[in-house]
Each structure stands twice: as structure tokens, then as C-alpha cells.
Amino acid sequence: MENLPEGRSADNRVVVDFAMHELVAVLRRAMRTRKRCGESFEKYENEALRLSNEAVRRLLEAELQERADQLGEEVLIEGAAFRRHQPGLVAYHSLCGAVSVTRFTYREVGVRNGPTCVPLEMESGMVERATPALASAVGRGYADRTSRALEEDLRAAARVPPSRSTIERMAVEIGTQAKAAVCRIEPRLRRCERLPKGARALTMGLDRTTVPMLEPSGGTDKFEVKYRMAYVATVCITDRETEALQTRRYAAPAHEGPHQILSRVEADLQHALKQKPQLRIAVVQDGAPELWGLMWELLDRMGIKRRRRVERIDRYHATQHLSGALDALKISDPIKTRTLDRWKELLNKRNGAIHRINAEIEELRRRLPETARRAAAQHATYLLINSPRLRYATLRKLGIPQGSGVTEGACKSLITTRTKRSGQKWSKHGIESVLALRSIVHSDRWPGFWRSFAKSRQVEIKPIRA
């Protein structure tokens, strides 16, 4: 191969173009040795991808080996001296296949029987012996797919991933480390985020949904599946038409509770109000008292007065109680449909419509036997207690949605679709890991998060020259 022209300017495009031309020429020569007469383009393409993977795999292997050889007998790691301990031939994993490298472990000088470390992995930003590119693909992919599906997807994309069990181990560890790094990285990302143009309101919501957890059974060695309530919180920025412009979604398993994700909601709210203090603040969720109590604590802690915020019961849940009241009142189907439609229209037009509706329910209850009156009273009481949060007529003018579809949808998209597939059951460690990844990915923060995360894992290693 010819010598490359020396690049002297900051823009090395000419040099790169020349190198790429030579690289393509070499690849074509390699392909000619394998090309068979009458071969389809599909087979030609697959062979070209296979050779390209192998070429990159060898390139990575050579680069890692060179870096390992340059480390020397002693190195400085964050100001502390470390000395070579034991050599070993180790297989690292990349998108293009496994690479074998002979590298040393190191131990801190003067520390007898202290823990060992691998400077090559620290300098290269490895995660569970995965190169940064593979680690990013595994972390991002595992957030949405099982390890089996992720392996199949990578192979379908002409990559050479490790085994499914290796991917699973990598993914859980990546999620665990990402979870630990969220409190450090997310605030930096948030500081760079700007409210979308046309932002009119910020709507929050908190909900729960079940996850199948594998837990010990009665202090024995046996395990059984128990369904536990995981928490979901959302922050949605909407425009004057109540269309979602930006959504952040957070999830936490039952054993962690909601406080950590609520602190992230609080940080999002604070950041939004710094940019636009006049932003409308709303809470729209179902009527669970404990969930409302948590949201009230958050808003009170931030000093947001009651008159400053809008609080509404999700419209779907309100309609369920209206329908339930009509069922308890033994209203026939044609009349029930017309009455329910009329009540819905009243709620759309008048903020105080729920009081008129309650009066109608009370009038109908008087004509019923005692058992039916008690059944209808449960729904009537719910509507009466929550009447201040059933005022929907002015929400659209404020840019606030009537329903908690974002939060309800997050229960499904963030938790159910990933954790309730056929045969799935989760350990505490596993569910923490996958929900941490999904919260980052489904809040549209993965690219920025991964850049910061990968950079933080790269430790500068300085050889100590004799």
C-alpha cells in the first residue's frame, strides 16, 4: 500500500478520503478471492460485511494490545502508584466479535494483598469486558428488548455479539451503573435542556402498576412469584392546544418507593419554572389518596401555593364513577347512554357541573331500595369529595389535558410492555437495572447520558518511567 500523504491542517478530510480509497481497494481484492461466478448480490453483501467485521475486530484487538503493552511496570492512577501483578489472556467483546488481549492486573504499591485493577479496562472505558460501542448498544437495546431479542437484532444487523447470557450479564451491570450515575449526570443534562417553543403548561402525574417479582417463599429455599406495585411518574410540557411537546418518564420498583423519582420530577419542575415562571402547573392523575398526598408534599415543599396550581382527577376515572352510579341506579341502557353523554357535555361546559350531576344522582337514589341506594352512594360520595378536582371546562384554555393519558400510557410503555412478557419474573437487582435504563431512554436523554457516562468511565493512566 502507498504511503499516506501527511496531514498538516486541522481538516484531515483529504487524508481520510485517500485512506478510505485505499481501504476499499484492499477490501475489493479480498472479496475477489471469495467471489464465485453467478453469486447473488445478497451473498456478496453478506460476505463484505463479514470481512469488514473481521477487519475491525483485528484492528481493535491490535489497538488494545498496543495500549496494554505501553502501560509499563508501574502506572499512576488518580495520583496513586500501581505495580504489575499478574498477566492474563482475556477475551473482550465488541460489536464485531471477541478480541483477545494479553494484559496485566495491577495492585497499589505499598498495599499488601490489596484489591487488583485492570488499567487497560479503565483507560478504554470497558463495561463488563464490553467495548464502549457494544456497551452502549447493549444498554440502549436492553431497555426495550430482552437479551434474546437483542442478540437476534444485533445478528440481523450483521454484527457479531457475544452470547445471550453474556449480553444479559452486561446489560444488568450497565443498568446498575447507570442507575448509580443518574443522580450525577441527569442534573448536568437538565441544565442544558430548554423548554420547547410554545410551552404553555406543565402537567405532572403519579401512578402504579404491577410487576411479577420472584421472592423467597416463607423463609425456605423455594421461590414464588408475587406481584408488586411499581411507581411511574411523568412530567409533560404541553402547548395551548394541550398537545405534548416534551415528556419525561420515570419508574421505580416497589421496594424503592416513589421518593427518588419524585425528586427527579421536582428537579424538572424547578428547571422549567426558572425558564418560564408563568408556566401553568397542573397535577392530573387518578383519585388514589396516597398518590395525591405525595404530590401535595412535593408542591408544598417547593412553595407552590394552591391557587397557583391546577389539580384534576383524570377524566377517564371520573367517567367510570359516573357510569358506575348509573349502573347502581338501575338505569336502562338507552337512557344510561343518553344521561352519561349529557353529563359529559355538562362537565365540558361548566366547572361546577358536578354539583348538578350529584343532585340528579341524589334525586334518583331516593326512589331505590336501601341496597341500591348504598351502592349508588359510594360513587356519589367519591364525586362529592373530589368535586374541586372535577372542574374540566376551563382546562383547554389553560393548555392542560383533561386526562392522565401520559401517565397511564407510561405505566404500559415504561413497565408493562417490558416486564410482563410471557414467563418473565424479576429479582430486585434486575428490575432496578431495567427500569433505570428505560427511564433514561424514554425521557429522551440516552444520547447525552451515555456520552457523559462513557466519558466518566475513562480513567487517565500515566506510565511511570524508570
Side-chain angles (χ1 to χ4, degrees):
M1 186 182 292
E2 300 177 31
N3 292 327
L4 298 180
E6 184 178 354
R8 297 183 182 277
S9 67
D11 183 2
N12 288 328
R13 185 173 58 186
V14 174
V15 179
V16 172
D17 285 347
F18 182 85
M20 290 301 297
H21 176 78
E22 291 296 298
L23 185 60
V24 171
V26 171
L27 183 58
R28 291 192 69 182
R29 288 200 296 270
M31 287 296 296
R32 288 193 192 104
T33 65
R34 289 164 168 77
K35 186 177 180 181
R36 298 177 179 84
C37 182
E39 182 180 54
S40 69
F41 179 77
E42 179 186 4
K43 291 182 178 179
Y44 183 90
E45 181 185 28
N46 288 335
E47 182 64 15
L49 290 169
R50 189 189 69 79
L51 286 178
S52 299
N53 274 329
E54 178 59 18
V56 173
R57 188 197 69 79
R58 294 186 187 186
L59 177 69
L60 296 177
E61 187 173 72
E63 177 66 18
L64 285 171
Q65 188 61 65
E66 182 178 343
R67 288 171 180 253
D69 294 341
Q70 289 175 349
L71 288 174
E73 185 68 26
E74 289 191 7
V75 296
L76 278 177
I77 303 177
E78 296 180 336
F82 285 73
R83 184 177 294 121
R84 277 181 176 175
H85 177 240
Q86 291 289 341
L89 178 64
V90 178
Y92 295 107
H93 301 283
S94 76
L95 285 168
C96 299
V99 296
S100 297
V101 181
T102 301
R103 90 292 183 267
F104 279 82
T105 58
Y106 284 67
R107 177 173 283 164
E108 188 172 358
V109 175
V111 179
R112 182 177 177 82
N113 294 326
T116 61
C117 64
V118 183
L120 176 66
E121 297 176 6
M122 300 166 70
E123 181 186 51
S124 305
M126 299 279 188
V127 184
E128 281 293 289
R129 296 190 179 177
T131 61
L134 175 61
S136 177
V138 168
R140 174 63 183 84
Y142 190 71
D144 288 335
R145 295 181 288 286
T146 64
S147 54
R148 186 183 302 278
L150 177 54
E151 180 194 14
E152 291 172 355
D153 287 348
L154 288 172
R155 293 192 185 280
R159 295 300 188 177
V160 189
S163 67
R164 183 193 65 80
S165 59
T166 300
I167 289 176
E168 180 78 23
R169 187 187 72 250
M170 288 177 180
V172 172
E173 179 58 26
I174 290 167
T176 300
Q177 294 187 25
K179 180 176 182 295
V182 158
C183 60
R184 171 174 49 85
I185 296 175
E186 197 170 72
R188 295 206 298 264
L189 297 178
R190 191 177 284 113
R191 285 195 292 271
C192 299
E193 293 168 354
R194 294 293 175 264
L195 282 176
K197 185 178 180 180
R200 183 72 175 271
L202 182 151
T203 304
M204 302 173 290
L206 181 64
D207 206 348
R208 295 176 298 188
T209 189
T210 57
V211 173
M213 300 294 296
L214 193 63
E215 299 179 358
S217 176
T220 66
D221 294 335
K222 296 181 179 180
F223 288 82
E224 62 179 331
V225 175
K226 295 183 179 179
Y227 282 83
R228 303 299 185 189
M229 300 294 283
Y231 290 87
V232 171
T234 60
V235 178
C236 184
I237 305 295
T238 52
D239 61 14
R240 64 173 59 249
E241 301 299 325
T242 73
E243 291 295 325
L245 301 176
Q246 183 185 82
T247 305
R248 308 300 183 196
R249 302 173 179 88
Y250 307 113
H255 62 271
E256 284 189 350
H259 296 290
Q260 192 263 352
I261 60 174
L262 284 176
S263 68
R264 296 163 79 177
V265 169
E266 182 177 350
D268 286 335
L269 178 54
Q270 288 175 336
H271 182 63
L273 289 175
K274 282 181 182 178
Q275 296 176 70
K276 193 172 184 178
Q278 70 273 27
L279 198 68
R280 295 282 184 179
I281 306 301
V283 180
V284 181
Q285 58 189 38
D286 69 28
E290 63 274 22
L291 300 183
W292 277 100
L294 289 167
M295 297 304 286
W296 287 332
E297 286 179 14
L298 184 155
L299 294 169
D300 290 343
R301 184 168 61 248
M302 290 185 64
I304 299 177
K305 304 296 183 183
R306 297 260 175 177
R307 63 178 181 274
R308 171 80 170 80
R309 62 211 198 204
V310 178
E311 299 173 358
R312 295 293 183 270
I313 298 290
D314 168 53
R315 182 67 182 265
Y316 174 77
H317 289 86
T319 302
Q320 279 187 314
H321 281 279
L322 293 174
S323 180
L326 290 171
D327 288 338
L329 293 168
K330 308 297 183 183
I331 305 297
S332 61
D333 284 342
I335 299 176
K336 173 186 173 182
T337 301
R338 290 197 299 270
T339 304
L340 187 59
D341 288 343
R342 181 169 58 82
W343 286 353
K344 289 179 182 178
E345 188 63 23
L346 280 173
L347 288 172
N348 286 335
K349 290 181 177 179
R350 295 174 52 188
N351 269 337
I354 195 63
H355 299 293
R356 176 175 170 180
I357 292 169
N358 259 327
E360 290 186 37
I361 294 173
E362 188 61 30
E363 179 64 27
L364 291 168
R365 280 181 62 234
R366 295 195 186 103
R367 308 172 190 174
L368 297 175
E370 180 63 24
T371 304
R373 285 204 302 271
R374 284 199 298 268
Q378 294 178 358
H379 298 286
T381 301
Y382 176 91
L383 297 172
L384 184 61
I385 291 174
N386 290 293
S387 57
R389 289 176 282 169
L390 298 174
R391 302 161 64 87
Y392 301 107
T394 57
L395 286 188
R396 187 173 183 83
K397 294 180 181 178
L398 300 175
I400 298 169
Q402 295 186 4
S404 59
V406 171
T407 308
E408 299 284 342
C411 286
K412 181 177 180 180
S413 65
L414 205 61
I415 295 183
T416 300
T417 58
R418 180 64 180 88
T419 66
K420 290 186 181 180
R421 300 181 187 187
S422 178
Q424 282 189 326
K425 41 194 176 291
W426 297 85
S427 66
K428 288 184 178 181
H429 187 202
I431 195 66
E432 287 177 13
S433 177
V434 75
L435 291 185
L437 292 171
R438 287 180 72 75
S439 294
I440 298 166
V441 169
H442 288 259
S443 292
D444 299 323
R445 283 178 172 144
W446 178 259
F449 178 88
W450 185 261
R451 284 193 297 271
S452 184
F453 176 77
K455 185 177 180 180
S456 69
R457 290 191 56 81
Q458 296 173 3
V459 180
E460 185 180 6
I461 310 294
K462 296 182 179 180
I464 299 177
R465 305 299 179 187

